[in-house]
Amino acid sequence: MRLHEEVRYEAGPEAVFAVLTDPEFLVARCRASGALEQSTDVVPSGAGCRVTVRRALPTRGLPDAAARFLGERMVLAETVVWGPAQDGGRRGSLHVVIEGAPVTLTGEVALSPAGAGCVQVFDADLVAKVPLFGGKVEQAAAPALRAGLLAEAELAGQWLAQRS
């Protein structure tokens, strides 16, 4: 299942990139998502960086079938590899897995100038490798993933507003 989301910010791409790669923001993002535990890592790589976030989340609120399959908590492991700044923006590869479940989200994230601010675009494929039920799992997971992306963007916007 293809996921496409766009988020607009009042700040430019480099300011948004600085927030999205700030270790303090990453921890705050995990806590805001209700993480029971988390680990974060930002490793510079040339003019880009690799951001890794791993968090355990409660499964309450998920459809019953998903909660039964995952247990009381699920562990999301997310990696974004950001490239160098180019054309006023940045691009990165995105990979998210639910540990212990055959569900992945793989794609791209981009920050591009847009007027006085920027737009963040997520283009990714959500794949559930579950025989006969993969499509239903994808349909059940997609709203939670979209909500997570939008919640992260809202928190990033708040961080930007506090720091300007």
Side-chain angles (χ1 to χ4, degrees), residues 113-137:
C118 77
V119 63
Q120 182 180 24
V121 177
F122 297 91
D123 271 313
D125 290 308
L126 174 62
V127 177
K129 294 182 181 177
V130 180
L132 303 175
F133 298 102
K136 290 186 187 277
V137 171

Side-chain angles (χ1 to χ4, degrees), residues 50-75:
R50 177 185 191 94
V51 177
T52 306
V53 176
R54 186 174 180 276
R55 57 188 151 170
L57 297 165
T59 56
R60 68 180 175 274
L62 292 179
D64 289 341
R68 278 193 306 272
F69 179 74
L70 294 167
E72 292 181 9
R73 56 193 243 160
M74 66 178 167
V75 177

